[in-house]
Amino acid sequence: MAYQTINPFNNEVLKSYENISDEKLEQMLADSHALYKKWRGGPIDERKEILHKIAELMRAEKTQLATVMTKEMGKLIAESEAEVELCANIADYFADQAEEFLKPTPLVTDAGDAYYEKQALGVLFMVEPWNFPYYQIMRVFAPNFMIGNPMMLKHASITPSSAEAFVEIVRRAGAPESSLTNLFIDYDQVDQTIADKRVIGVALTGSERSGASVAKNAGENLKKSSLELGGNDPFIILDDADMNKVKKIAPSARISNAGQTCTASKRFIVMADKYEAFLEMLKEAFSQVKLGDPMNRDTTLAPLSSPDAKKNLQKQVDEAVASGAKVYYGNEPVDLPGQFFQPTILIDIKRDNPMFDQEMFGPVATVYKVNSEVEAIDLANDSSYGLGSVIFSEDLEHAKQVASQLETGMTFINQAWTSLPELPFGGVKNSGYGREMAEIGFDAFVNEHLVLTAKR
Ligand code: NAP
């Protein structure tokens, strides 16, 4: 595949990159493995300083770094800046927490003195998507850099410049060569890398298609894997929801990042008595978006990331409509050269509609009317996915009880989905397995090494 930076706002080809040879890949693997051996069992103080330095550089160069992402995959410049800021926060968090997370854990046993300690495992491979080009890398990079697992990165073919910019910041912060190696490789080389005996595991964020392929290969090679896949997240508006709060949150919960977020609220499940008012409110908000250059700070809805992204989304909307869904708002062509998609609201999606159980990756909201809370929970759980969910209710204890009944990895009550370094991120069912961020994410690729000393 070709690694190319093409601005989705105006389709200008900004940069192309050459794939690397198998020989070069072999050298990079050898160098990464050598670094693992050098780091193994050693102190972490220097890496802590470097990780803080990475955070400092990211904050200092926020707008330049953000511009790389915006020109490459189209997100609004303010969203890109917020992503850089989040990356800096993740770096600081793991730099500060690593010592505590790495402390040996004493074990209670009559057999003697026992504890387990968390050790590095070796070279970790990550395969990442384009929708959060820096954040996805940082979720894996920051904890594993502190653990001492050197990393190799295969980024999406449409975000190579973001990958290069990230690696460059790591290098300039003083990290040893091979701490993070960017690979311009094809899928066969992805398979080779996973199979290589120096690689101990693979962390993938992406679609079910790539997740299944990478996990199958990892399984065949007895390698650990973690999968952060797609979602079709429900946004449940209960009887006692404060609709003023819903109004402030719901539109952006769907259309921020041009709707291309795994945890975006994609299915709005609304009690019958609030259904019409909610639809009107969402339509009003969607009709006010300003499409345009994502570098312009007045623009409120960015283009999609690529021509393929737009084509696929249009196909899904067409199929939904052909199978009985109604367009409540939107789905009109946008008269701009970039990959723009008008915010769209679909209703009357029945369970036999093929789009009922598919992720739509763009600014398309589906809205469902329900007559009871039981029906809302049942509908929310009737999905192949199980990533995140949102509940709006003024009875917080009750909302928590509803959360307990949802088959998702995360629930956000009276607020939009979010991601913070100290909160574990991940899903169940076809949304994947494993968690990133927080201590759970830190532990994803460590050897929990038991040490038992016999009694004298
Ligand atoms: P994708 O097509 O699966 O691509 C993700 C990564 O996998 C890219 O680097 C891609 O490389 C690579 N890839 C694709 N097929 C592969 C294969 N057969 N073998 C090896 N590598 C392969 O996903 P995407 O469209 O870029 O990203 C959007 C998806 O990611 C959505 O479903 C979204 O919900 C999900 N996502 C999940 C999370 C989460 O934390 N759960 C976060 C963000 C996004 P190429 O670009 O070269 O094809």
Side-chain angles (χ1 to χ4, degrees), residues 29 57 134-135 222 235 257 302 380 419:
L29 280 160
L57 286 173
Y134 296 147
Y135 158 77
L222 305 178
F235 184 118
N257 208 31
S419 176

Side-chain angles (χ1 to χ4, degrees), residues 44-305:
I44 62 165
D45 309 11
E46 199 186 328
R47 295 204 294 280
K48 176 177 174 174
E49 238 175 72
I50 295 167
L51 197 49
H52 277 310
K53 181 74 185 168
I54 291 170
E56 192 188 312
L57 286 173
M58 286 189 144
R59 291 198 183 97
E61 298 172 22
K62 184 163 74 180
T63 302
Q64 294 103 292
L65 286 166
T67 302
V68 175
M69 273 194 286
T70 292
K71 294 215 163 155
E72 181 157 73
M73 52 68 68
K75 75 171 68 188
L76 301 177
I77 186 69
E79 291 176 337
S80 294
E81 287 173 344
E83 181 171 337
V84 176
E85 188 67 41
L86 175 58
C87 286
N89 294 343
I90 297 170
D92 280 340
Y93 171 81
F94 283 106
D96 287 335
Q97 296 300 318
E99 199 174 347
E100 185 62 29
F101 290 166
L102 286 168
K103 274 192 183 146
T105 305
L107 299 167
V108 180
T109 173
D110 292 334
D113 170 44
Y115 61 91
Y116 72 85
E117 60 181 10
K118 297 176 192 170
Q119 293 178 334
L121 280 171
V123 180
L124 175 63
F125 186 32
M126 62 172 115
V127 180
E128 300 297 345
W130 46 263
N131 63 338
F132 290 91
Y134 296 147
Y135 158 77
Q136 296 297 346
I137 305 174
M138 188 57 96
R139 292 201 318 196
V140 179
F141 175 77
N144 286 288
F145 182 67
M146 291 311 298
I147 290 161
N149 293 325
M151 282 151 281
M152 306 191 93
L153 162 69
K154 186 255 176 277
H155 215 326
S157 50
I158 63 167
T159 46
S161 298
S162 300
E164 292 282 88
F166 194 106
V167 169
E168 182 58 14
I169 286 281
V170 170
R171 193 190 62 75
R172 281 176 42 220
E177 279 299 312
S178 306
S179 296
L180 176 66
T181 306
N182 180 37
L183 306 172
F184 291 133
I185 53 176
D186 62 26
Y187 293 168
D188 287 344
Q189 290 171 309
V190 167
D191 289 347
Q192 280 172 42
T193 306
I194 294 169
D196 190 281
K197 68 176 191 301
R198 292 159 293 195
V199 170
I200 53 79
V202 55
L204 175 134
T205 298
S207 63
E208 289 158 278
R209 180 182 53 90
S210 61
S213 165
V214 161
K216 177 169 179 255
N217 194 359
E220 277 169 0
N221 289 284
L222 305 178
K223 302 286 171 73
K224 199 168 181 183
S225 61
S226 68
L227 297 183
E228 297 278 352
L229 308 180
N232 202 6
D233 290 10
F235 184 118
I236 303 172
I237 300 168
L238 293 178
D239 267 339
D240 62 348
D242 178 336
M243 292 307 275
N244 286 324
K245 287 184 191 160
V246 169
K247 187 175 174 177
K248 285 195 193 114
I249 304 283
S252 62
R254 183 63 195 99
I255 62 175
S256 66
N257 208 31
Q260 305 163 115
T261 304
C262 52
T263 42
S265 298
K266 294 170 186 139
R267 297 181 292 151
F268 292 86
I269 298 175
V270 193
M271 289 295 176
D273 61 342
K274 294 188 155 52
Y275 179 74
E276 292 299 336
F278 176 75
L279 278 173
E280 269 310 304
M281 182 268 281
L282 197 63
K283 175 176 161 181
E284 161 90 9
F286 278 11
S287 64
Q288 283 171 11
V289 300
K290 189 160 177 284
L291 293 89
D293 185 349
M295 287 300 294
N296 181 341
R297 290 182 190 270
D298 294 336
T299 302
T300 59
L301 187 67
L304 297 182
S305 61

